[in-house]
Amino acid sequence: MERKMSSVSRKMKMDGLDTNIVGSEVRHFEMVSSTNLVAKELAKKGAEDGVVVVADVQTEGRGRKERKWSSPEGGLWFSVILHPKIPPQKGAILTMAASIGMVEGIDKITGLKPKIKWPNDVLIKEKKICGILTEMDAKTDRINFAVVGIGINVNNKLEADLRERGTTLLKEMGTKIPMVPLFKAILESFDKAYGKVVDNDYDFIIKKWSSFSSTIGRKVEVSNGNGIIKGIATGIDEDGCLIVKDGETHRVTSGDVNYL
Ligand code: BTN
């Protein structure tokens, strides 16, 4: 069946969704280029805190570092518009709150115990199940809006080149996962974690994130624009930067981690 890119969304309140902010309104599209792009346009036009854009298919799904994000039917591809009153340097905390929500929501529906690989990849048995791309529109002292884009491999097929490092909930459970209960559980867990960000309880986020981390305590290799650092990941600091020790102490703001 051929489907057209939709410019019309179905606006809905999700029945029984128990959240304060996240999911205040949900806009569902059959097919978009990228939910992050649509969400940014809506945010610029004044969309309120917590509006969610979700699509069945993305034709130009994007990942971190300008990578392509494969987004066929059967996955959960969505973006949340947020207006947190926090300084831009705390932006990483938002993504951490989202990854906490993903771990808790997925665990609630499947009983699987996902882990977080720094910065915010959600893994099951060391294979990536979920990625998060946060984009911000900010001034020096405040965030105008943030769009937190989340992609979860649920019942979709994985492209051949992703099968070694990635997985789906269908594969892990051996059965199809009901999408609406999963979506609700995830939005509800994210909402609780976002509430802590709104209350400036960054310590809660850092402790909770660390309890789900598969990175802390591991021997790692981190590559970023500045080269490669090899050492032990000992923790994260109050801005979500990874602390790696190799004799010296390094504070890593961005990069890709490999476990050694
Ligand atoms: C990553 O590289 O790990 C981040 C992937 C983020 C993918 C999601 S899918 C929904 C939203 N729209 C996009 O284009 N990207 C994010």
Side-chain angles (χ1 to χ4, degrees), residues 74-159:
L76 189 47
W77 324 121
F78 68 101
S79 303
V80 185
I81 298 167
L82 296 170
H83 296 281
K85 291 187 179 55
I86 59 172
Q89 65 269 25
K90 290 287 177 201
I93 299 284
L94 265 187
T95 318
M96 290 167 71
S99 54
I100 291 168
M102 300 313 112
V103 167
E104 293 184 337
I106 291 171
D107 184 36
K108 181 170 179 199
I109 298 299
T110 63
L112 296 167
K113 302 267 176 244
K115 291 278 180 194
I116 308 171
K117 182 179 179 196
W118 188 88
N120 280 294
D121 288 348
V122 178
L123 312 180
I124 293 174
K125 296 188 207 135
E126 310 248 313
K127 291 193 172 196
K128 185 157 165 173
I129 195 84
C130 164
I132 303 173
L133 175 67
T134 300
E135 298 181 273
M136 287 196 298
D137 183 298
K139 295 215 169 68
T140 32
D141 57 338
R142 70 183 172 95
I143 295 174
N144 295 330
F145 66 79
V147 165
V148 182
I150 296 163
I152 308 178
N153 292 314
V154 185
N155 300 316
N156 53 299
K157 286 211 175 92
L158 280 185
E159 282 179 10

Coordinates of all heavy atoms in Angstrom, one line a residue, residues 74-159:
G74 N 5.9 0.0 12.4 CA 6.1 -1.0 13.5 C 7.0 -0.5 14.7 O 7.0 -1.1 15.7
G75 N 7.7 0.6 14.4 CA 8.5 1.2 15.5 C 7.7 2.3 16.2 O 6.7 2.7 15.7
L76 N 8.3 2.9 17.2 CA 7.7 4.0 17.9 C 8.6 5.2 17.7 O 9.7 5.3 18.3 CB 7.5 3.7 19.4 CG 6.7 4.6 20.3 CD1 5.4 5.0 19.7 CD2 6.5 3.9 21.6
W77 N 8.1 6.2 16.9 CA 9.0 7.3 16.5 C 8.2 8.5 17.0 O 7.2 8.9 16.4 CB 9.2 7.4 15.0 CG 9.4 6.0 14.3 CD1 8.6 5.5 13.3 CD2 10.4 5.0 14.6 NE1 9.0 4.3 12.9 CE2 10.1 3.9 13.7 CE3 11.4 4.9 15.5 CZ2 10.9 2.8 13.7 CZ3 12.2 3.8 15.4 CH2 11.9 2.7 14.6
F78 N 8.7 9.3 18.0 CA 8.0 10.4 18.4 C 8.9 11.5 19.0 O 10.1 11.2 19.3 CB 7.0 10.0 19.5 CG 7.5 9.5 20.8 CD1 7.5 10.3 21.9 CD2 8.0 8.2 20.9 CE1 8.0 9.9 23.1 CE2 8.5 7.8 22.1 CZ 8.5 8.6 23.2
S79 N 8.4 12.7 19.1 CA 9.1 13.8 19.7 C 8.3 14.6 20.7 O 7.1 14.7 20.5 CB 9.5 14.8 18.6 OG 10.3 14.1 17.6
V80 N 8.9 15.1 21.8 CA 8.2 15.8 22.8 C 8.7 17.2 22.8 O 9.9 17.4 22.9 CB 8.4 15.1 24.2 CG1 7.5 15.8 25.2 CG2 8.1 13.6 24.1
I81 N 7.7 18.2 22.8 CA 8.1 19.6 22.9 C 8.1 20.0 24.4 O 7.1 19.7 25.0 CB 7.1 20.5 22.1 CG1 7.1 20.1 20.6 CG2 7.4 22.0 22.3 CD1 5.9 20.7 19.8
L82 N 9.2 20.6 24.8 CA 9.2 21.0 26.2 C 9.7 22.4 26.4 O 10.5 22.9 25.6 CB 10.2 20.0 27.0 CG 9.8 18.5 27.0 CD1 10.9 17.7 27.6 CD2 8.5 18.4 27.9
H83 N 9.3 23.0 27.4 CA 9.7 24.4 27.7 C 10.2 24.5 29.2 O 9.6 25.1 30.0 CB 8.5 25.4 27.6 CG 7.9 25.5 26.2 ND1 8.5 26.2 25.2 CD2 6.9 24.9 25.7 CE1 7.8 26.1 24.1 NE2 6.8 25.3 24.4
P84 N 11.3 23.8 29.4 CA 11.8 23.7 30.8 C 12.5 25.1 31.2 O 13.2 25.6 30.3 CB 12.9 22.6 30.7 CG 13.3 22.6 29.3 CD 12.2 23.0 28.5
K85 N 12.3 25.5 32.4 CA 12.9 26.7 32.8 C 14.2 26.4 33.5 O 14.4 26.5 34.7 CB 12.0 27.5 33.8 CG 10.7 28.0 33.1 CD 9.9 28.9 34.0 CE 8.7 29.4 33.3 NZ 7.8 28.4 32.6
I86 N 15.1 25.9 32.7 CA 16.5 25.5 33.2 C 17.5 26.2 32.3 O 17.2 26.5 31.1 CB 16.7 24.0 33.2 CG1 16.5 23.4 31.8 CG2 15.7 23.3 34.2 CD1 16.9 21.9 31.7
P87 N 18.7 26.4 32.8 CA 19.8 27.0 31.9 C 20.2 26.0 30.8 O 20.1 24.7 31.0 CB 20.9 27.2 32.8 CG 20.6 26.5 34.1 CD 19.2 26.2 34.1
P88 N 20.6 26.5 29.6 CA 20.9 25.6 28.5 C 22.0 24.6 28.9 O 22.0 23.4 28.3 CB 21.5 26.5 27.4 CG 21.0 27.9 27.8 CD 20.7 27.9 29.3
Q89 N 22.9 24.9 29.8 CA 24.0 23.9 30.1 C 23.4 22.7 30.8 O 24.1 21.7 31.0 CB 25.2 24.6 30.9 CG 24.9 25.1 32.2 CD 24.4 26.6 32.2 OE1 24.0 27.1 31.1 NE2 24.6 27.3 33.3
K90 N 22.2 22.8 31.3 CA 21.5 21.6 31.9 C 20.7 20.8 30.9 O 20.0 19.9 31.3 CB 20.6 22.1 33.1 CG 21.3 22.6 34.3 CD 22.0 21.5 35.1 CE 22.8 22.1 36.2 NZ 23.9 21.1 36.7
G91 N 20.9 21.1 29.6 CA 20.1 20.4 28.6 C 20.3 18.9 28.6 O 19.3 18.2 28.4
A92 N 21.5 18.5 28.9 CA 21.8 17.0 28.9 C 20.9 16.3 30.0 O 20.5 15.1 29.8 CB 23.2 16.7 29.2
I93 N 20.5 17.0 31.0 CA 19.7 16.5 32.1 C 18.3 16.1 31.5 O 17.7 15.1 31.9 CB 19.5 17.5 33.2 CG1 20.9 17.8 33.8 CG2 18.5 17.0 34.3 CD1 21.5 16.7 34.7
L94 N 17.8 16.8 30.5 CA 16.5 16.5 29.9 C 16.6 15.2 29.2 O 15.7 14.4 29.3 CB 16.3 17.6 28.8 CG 15.4 18.8 29.1 CD1 15.2 19.5 27.8 CD2 14.1 18.4 29.7
T95 N 17.7 15.0 28.4 CA 17.8 13.7 27.7 C 18.0 12.6 28.7 O 17.5 11.5 28.4 CB 19.1 13.8 26.8 OG1 19.1 15.1 26.1 CG2 19.0 12.8 25.7
M96 N 18.7 12.9 29.8 CA 18.8 11.8 30.8 C 17.4 11.4 31.4 O 17.1 10.3 31.6 CB 19.7 12.3 31.9 CG 21.2 12.3 31.4 SD 22.2 13.2 32.6 CE 22.3 12.1 33.9
A97 N 16.6 12.5 31.6 CA 15.2 12.2 32.1 C 14.5 11.4 31.1 O 13.7 10.4 31.5 CB 14.5 13.5 32.4
A98 N 14.7 11.7 29.8 CA 14.0 10.9 28.8 C 14.4 9.4 28.8 O 13.6 8.5 28.7 CB 14.2 11.5 27.4
S99 N 15.7 9.2 29.0 CA 16.2 7.8 28.9 C 15.8 7.1 30.1 O 15.5 5.9 30.1 CB 17.8 7.8 28.7 OG 18.4 8.5 29.7
I100 N 15.6 7.7 31.3 CA 15.1 7.1 32.5 C 13.6 6.6 32.2 O 13.2 5.5 32.5 CB 15.1 8.1 33.7 CG1 16.5 8.3 34.1 CG2 14.2 7.5 34.8 CD1 16.7 9.5 35.1
G101 N 12.9 7.6 31.5 CA 11.5 7.2 31.2 C 11.4 6.0 30.2 O 10.5 5.2 30.4
M102 N 12.3 5.9 29.3 CA 12.3 4.8 28.3 C 12.6 3.5 29.1 O 11.9 2.5 28.8 CB 13.3 5.0 27.2 CG 13.1 6.3 26.4 SD 11.4 6.5 25.9 CE 10.9 7.9 26.8
V103 N 13.6 3.5 29.9 CA 14.0 2.3 30.7 C 12.8 1.8 31.5 O 12.4 0.6 31.4 CB 15.2 2.5 31.6 CG1 15.4 1.4 32.6 CG2 16.5 2.7 30.7
E104 N 12.2 2.8 32.2 CA 11.1 2.4 33.1 C 9.9 1.9 32.4 O 9.2 1.0 32.7 CB 10.8 3.5 34.1 CG 11.9 3.7 35.1 CD 11.7 4.8 36.1 OE1 10.8 5.7 35.9 OE2 12.3 4.8 37.2
G105 N 9.5 2.7 31.3 CA 8.4 2.3 30.5 C 8.5 1.0 29.8 O 7.6 0.2 29.8
I106 N 9.7 0.7 29.2 CA 9.9 -0.5 28.5 C 9.8 -1.7 29.6 O 9.2 -2.7 29.3 CB 11.2 -0.5 27.8 CG1 11.1 0.4 26.6 CG2 11.6 -1.9 27.3 CD1 12.5 0.7 25.9
D107 N 10.5 -1.4 30.7 CA 10.5 -2.5 31.7 C 9.0 -2.8 32.2 O 8.7 -3.9 32.4 CB 11.4 -2.0 32.9 CG 11.5 -3.1 34.0 OD1 11.6 -4.3 33.6 OD2 11.5 -2.8 35.1
K108 N 8.2 -1.7 32.4 CA 6.9 -1.9 32.9 C 6.1 -2.9 31.9 O 5.3 -3.7 32.4 CB 6.2 -0.6 33.0 CG 4.8 -0.7 33.5 CD 4.1 0.6 33.9 CE 2.7 0.4 34.4 NZ 1.9 1.6 34.4
I109 N 6.2 -2.7 30.7 CA 5.4 -3.5 29.7 C 6.0 -4.8 29.4 O 5.3 -5.8 29.1 CB 5.2 -2.6 28.4 CG1 4.4 -1.3 28.7 CG2 4.5 -3.4 27.3 CD1 3.0 -1.5 29.3
T110 N 7.4 -4.9 29.4 CA 8.0 -6.2 28.9 C 8.7 -6.9 30.0 O 8.9 -8.1 29.9 CB 9.1 -5.8 27.9 OG1 10.1 -5.1 28.5 CG2 8.5 -5.1 26.7
G111 N 9.0 -6.3 31.2 CA 9.8 -7.0 32.2 C 11.2 -7.1 31.8 O 12.0 -7.6 32.6
L112 N 11.6 -6.6 30.7 CA 13.0 -6.5 30.3 C 13.7 -5.4 31.1 O 13.0 -4.5 31.5 CB 13.2 -6.2 28.8 CG 12.6 -7.3 27.8 CD1 12.5 -6.7 26.4 CD2 13.4 -8.6 27.9
K113 N 14.9 -5.6 31.4 CA 15.6 -4.5 32.2 C 16.6 -3.8 31.4 O 17.8 -4.2 31.4 CB 16.3 -5.2 33.4 CG 15.4 -6.0 34.3 CD 14.9 -5.2 35.4 CE 13.9 -5.9 36.3 NZ 12.6 -5.4 36.3
P114 N 16.2 -2.8 30.6 CA 17.1 -2.1 29.7 C 18.2 -1.4 30.5 O 18.0 -1.0 31.7 CB 16.3 -1.1 29.0 CG 14.9 -1.6 29.1 CD 14.8 -2.2 30.5
K115 N 19.3 -1.1 29.9 CA 20.4 -0.3 30.5 C 20.7 0.9 29.7 O 20.3 0.9 28.5 CB 21.7 -1.2 30.6 CG 21.6 -2.4 31.5 CD 21.9 -1.9 32.9 CE 21.8 -2.9 34.0 NZ 21.7 -2.3 35.3
I116 N 21.3 1.9 30.2 CA 21.7 3.1 29.5 C 23.2 3.1 29.2 O 24.0 3.0 30.1 CB 21.2 4.4 30.2 CG1 19.7 4.3 30.6 CG2 21.4 5.6 29.3 CD1 19.3 5.4 31.5
K117 N 23.5 3.3 27.9 CA 24.9 3.5 27.6 C 25.1 5.0 27.3 O 24.4 5.6 26.5 CB 25.2 2.7 26.3 CG 26.7 2.8 25.9 CD 26.8 1.9 24.6 CE 28.2 2.0 24.1 NZ 28.3 1.4 22.7
W118 N 26.1 5.6 28.0 CA 26.3 7.0 27.8 C 26.6 7.4 26.4 O 27.3 6.6 25.7 CB 27.5 7.4 28.7 CG 27.7 8.9 28.8 CD1 27.2 9.8 29.6 CD2 28.5 9.7 27.9 NE1 27.5 11.1 29.4 CE2 28.4 11.1 28.3 CE3 29.3 9.4 26.8 CZ2 29.0 12.1 27.6 CZ3 30.0 10.5 26.1 CH2 29.8 11.8 26.6
P119 N 26.0 8.5 25.8 CA 25.2 9.4 26.6 C 23.8 8.9 26.9 O 23.4 9.1 28.0 CB 25.2 10.7 25.7 CG 25.5 10.2 24.4 CD 26.3 9.0 24.5
N120 N 23.1 8.4 25.9 CA 21.7 8.1 26.2 C 21.1 7.0 25.4 O 19.9 7.0 25.0 CB 20.8 9.3 26.2 CG 21.0 10.1 27.4 OD1 20.6 9.7 28.5 ND2 21.6 11.3 27.3
D121 N 22.0 6.0 25.0 CA 21.4 4.9 24.2 C 20.8 3.9 25.2 O 21.4 3.6 26.2 CB 22.5 4.2 23.4 CG 23.0 5.0 22.3 OD1 22.4 6.0 21.9 OD2 24.1 4.6 21.7
V122 N 19.6 3.4 24.9 CA 19.0 2.4 25.7 C 19.2 1.0 25.1 O 18.9 0.8 23.9 CB 17.5 2.7 25.9 CG1 16.8 1.7 26.8 CG2 17.3 4.1 26.5
L123 N 19.8 0.1 25.9 CA 20.2 -1.2 25.4 C 19.5 -2.3 26.1 O 19.2 -2.2 27.3 CB 21.7 -1.4 25.6 CG 22.7 -0.3 25.3 CD1 24.1 -0.8 25.6 CD2 22.7 0.1 23.8
I124 N 19.3 -3.4 25.3 CA 18.9 -4.6 26.0 C 20.0 -5.7 25.6 O 20.2 -5.9 24.4 CB 17.5 -5.1 25.5 CG1 16.5 -4.1 26.1 CG2 17.2 -6.5 26.0 CD1 15.1 -4.2 25.6
K125 N 20.5 -6.3 26.6 CA 21.6 -7.3 26.4 C 22.7 -6.7 25.4 O 23.1 -7.3 24.4 CB 21.1 -8.6 25.8 CG 20.2 -9.3 26.7 CD 19.9 -10.7 26.2 CE 18.5 -11.2 26.7 NZ 17.7 -11.8 25.6
E126 N 23.1 -5.4 25.7 CA 24.1 -4.7 25.0 C 23.8 -4.3 23.6 O 24.6 -3.9 22.8 CB 25.4 -5.5 25.0 CG 25.8 -5.9 26.4 CD 27.1 -5.3 27.0 OE1 28.1 -5.2 26.2 OE2 27.0 -4.8 28.1
K127 N 22.5 -4.5 23.2 CA 22.1 -4.1 21.8 C 21.1 -3.0 21.9 O 20.2 -2.9 22.8 CB 21.5 -5.3 21.1 CG 22.5 -6.4 20.7 CD 21.9 -7.3 19.7 CE 23.0 -8.3 19.3 NZ 22.6 -9.0 18.0
K128 N 21.3 -2.0 20.9 CA 20.5 -0.8 21.0 C 19.0 -1.0 20.7 O 18.7 -1.5 19.6 CB 21.1 0.3 20.1 CG 20.5 1.6 20.2 CD 21.4 2.7 19.7 CE 20.8 4.0 19.4 NZ 21.7 5.1 19.1
I129 N 18.1 -0.6 21.6 CA 16.7 -0.7 21.4 C 16.1 0.7 21.2 O 15.1 0.8 20.5 CB 16.0 -1.4 22.6 CG1 14.6 -1.9 22.3 CG2 16.0 -0.5 23.9 CD1 14.6 -3.2 21.7
C130 N 16.8 1.7 21.7 CA 16.2 3.1 21.6 C 17.3 4.1 21.6 O 18.3 4.0 22.3 CB 15.3 3.2 22.9 SG 14.9 4.9 23.4
G131 N 17.0 5.2 20.7 CA 18.0 6.3 20.7 C 17.2 7.6 20.9 O 16.0 7.7 20.7
I132 N 17.9 8.6 21.4 CA 17.3 9.9 21.7 C 18.1 11.0 21.1 O 19.3 11.0 21.2 CB 17.2 10.0 23.3 CG1 16.5 8.9 23.9 CG2 16.6 11.4 23.6 CD1 16.5 8.9 25.4
L133 N 17.4 11.9 20.5 CA 18.0 13.1 19.9 C 17.3 14.3 20.4 O 16.2 14.6 20.0 CB 17.9 13.0 18.3 CG 18.4 14.2 17.6 CD1 19.9 14.4 17.7 CD2 18.0 14.2 16.1
T134 N 18.0 15.1 21.2 CA 17.4 16.3 21.8 C 18.0 17.5 21.0 O 19.2 17.6 20.8 CB 17.8 16.4 23.3 OG1 17.3 15.3 24.0 CG2 17.2 17.7 23.9
E135 N 17.1 18.4 20.6 CA 17.5 19.6 19.9 C 16.9 20.8 20.7 O 15.8 20.7 21.1 CB 17.0 19.6 18.5 CG 17.6 18.4 17.7 CD 17.2 18.4 16.2 OE1 16.1 17.8 16.0 OE2 17.8 19.0 15.4
M136 N 17.7 21.8 20.8 CA 17.3 22.9 21.7 C 17.3 24.3 20.9 O 18.2 24.5 20.1 CB 18.2 23.1 22.9 CG 17.9 22.0 23.9 SD 18.7 22.5 25.5 CE 20.4 22.6 25.1
D137 N 16.4 25.1 21.2 CA 16.5 26.5 20.7 C 16.7 27.3 22.0 O 15.8 27.3 22.9 CB 15.1 26.9 20.1 CG 15.1 28.2 19.5 OD1 15.3 29.2 20.3 OD2 14.9 28.4 18.3
A138 N 17.9 27.9 22.1 CA 18.2 28.5 23.4 C 18.9 29.8 23.3 O 19.6 30.1 22.3 CB 19.1 27.5 24.2
K139 N 18.8 30.7 24.3 CA 19.6 31.9 24.5 C 20.7 31.5 25.5 O 20.6 30.4 26.1 CB 18.7 33.0 25.0 CG 17.7 33.4 24.0 CD 17.4 35.0 24.1 CE 16.5 35.4 22.9 NZ 15.2 34.9 23.0
T140 N 21.6 32.5 25.8 CA 22.7 32.1 26.7 C 22.2 31.6 28.1 O 22.7 30.7 28.7 CB 23.6 33.3 26.9 OG1 22.9 34.5 26.9 CG2 24.8 33.3 26.0
D141 N 21.1 32.3 28.5 CA 20.7 32.0 29.9 C 19.4 31.1 30.0 O 19.0 30.7 31.1 CB 20.5 33.3 30.7 CG 19.4 34.2 30.0 OD1 19.2 34.0 28.8 OD2 18.8 35.0 30.7
R142 N 18.7 30.9 28.9 CA 17.5 30.1 29.0 C 17.1 29.3 27.7 O 17.6 29.7 26.6 CB 16.3 31.0 29.4 CG 15.8 31.9 28.3 CD 14.7 32.8 28.8 NE 14.4 33.8 27.9 CZ 13.5 33.7 26.9 NH1 12.7 32.7 26.9 NH2 13.3 34.7 26.0
I143 N 16.4 28.2 27.9 CA 16.0 27.4 26.8 C 14.6 27.9 26.3 O 13.7 28.0 27.1 CB 15.8 25.9 27.2 CG1 17.2 25.4 27.6 CG2 15.2 25.1 26.2 CD1 17.2 24.0 28.2
N144 N 14.5 28.3 25.0 CA 13.2 28.7 24.5 C 12.3 27.5 24.4 O 11.1 27.5 24.9 CB 13.3 29.4 23.2 CG 14.0 30.7 23.2 OD1 14.0 31.4 24.2 ND2 14.8 31.0 22.2
F145 N 12.8 26.5 23.8 CA 12.1 25.2 23.7 C 13.1 24.1 23.4 O 14.2 24.3 22.9 CB 11.0 25.1 22.7 CG 11.4 25.2 21.3 CD1 11.9 24.1 20.6 CD2 11.3 26.4 20.6 CE1 12.3 24.2 19.3 CE2 11.7 26.6 19.3 CZ 12.2 25.4 18.6
A146 N 12.8 22.9 23.9 CA 13.6 21.7 23.5 C 12.7 20.7 22.9 O 11.5 20.6 23.2 CB 14.2 21.1 24.8
V147 N 13.2 20.0 21.9 CA 12.5 18.9 21.3 C 13.3 17.6 21.6 O 14.4 17.5 21.2 CB 12.3 19.1 19.8 CG1 11.9 17.8 19.0 CG2 11.3 20.2 19.5
V148 N 12.6 16.7 22.3 CA 13.3 15.4 22.6 C 12.7 14.4 21.7 O 11.5 14.0 21.8 CB 13.1 15.1 24.1 CG1 13.8 13.8 24.5 CG2 13.5 16.2 25.0
G149 N 13.5 13.9 20.8 CA 13.1 12.9 19.8 C 13.5 11.5 20.2 O 14.7 11.3 20.6
I150 N 12.6 10.6 20.2 CA 12.8 9.3 20.7 C 12.4 8.2 19.7 O 11.3 8.3 19.1 CB 12.0 9.1 22.0 CG1 12.6 10.1 23.0 CG2 12.1 7.6 22.5 CD1 11.7 10.3 24.2
G151 N 13.3 7.3 19.4 CA 13.0 6.2 18.5 C 13.2 4.9 19.2 O 14.3 4.6 19.7
I152 N 12.2 4.1 19.2 CA 12.2 2.7 19.8 C 11.9 1.7 18.8 O 10.9 1.7 18.1 CB 11.2 2.6 21.0 CG1 11.4 3.8 21.9 CG2 11.4 1.3 21.8 CD1 10.5 3.8 23.1
N153 N 12.8 0.7 18.7 CA 12.5 -0.5 17.8 C 11.6 -1.4 18.6 O 12.0 -2.0 19.5 CB 13.9 -1.2 17.5 CG 14.8 -0.3 16.7 OD1 14.3 0.3 15.7 ND2 16.0 -0.2 17.0
V154 N 10.4 -1.4 18.1 CA 9.3 -2.2 18.8 C 9.0 -3.5 18.0 O 9.6 -4.5 18.2 CB 8.1 -1.4 19.0 CG1 7.1 -2.2 19.9 CG2 8.4 -0.1 19.8
N155 N 8.1 -3.4 17.0 CA 7.7 -4.5 16.2 C 8.2 -4.4 14.8 O 7.8 -5.2 13.9 CB 6.2 -4.6 16.1 CG 5.5 -4.8 17.5 OD1 6.1 -5.6 18.3 ND2 4.5 -4.1 17.8
N156 N 9.1 -3.4 14.5 CA 9.6 -3.2 13.2 C 10.7 -4.2 12.8 O 11.3 -4.8 13.7 CB 10.1 -1.8 13.1 CG 11.1 -1.4 14.2 OD1 10.8 -1.5 15.3 ND2 12.4 -1.1 13.8
K157 N 11.0 -4.3 11.5 CA 12.1 -5.0 11.0 C 13.3 -4.1 11.1 O 13.2 -2.9 10.9 CB 11.9 -5.4 9.6 CG 10.9 -6.5 9.4 CD 11.3 -7.4 8.1 CE 10.3 -8.5 8.0 NZ 9.2 -8.3 7.1
L158 N 14.5 -4.7 11.4 CA 15.7 -4.0 11.4 C 16.5 -4.1 10.1 O 16.5 -5.2 9.5 CB 16.7 -4.5 12.5 CG 16.4 -4.0 13.9 CD1 17.6 -4.6 14.8 CD2 16.3 -2.5 14.1
E159 N 17.0 -3.1 9.6 CA 17.8 -3.2 8.4 C 19.0 -4.1 8.7 O 19.5 -4.1 9.8 CB 18.3 -1.8 7.9 CG 17.2 -1.0 7.2 CD 17.7 0.4 6.8 OE1 18.9 0.7 6.9 OE2 16.8 1.2 6.4

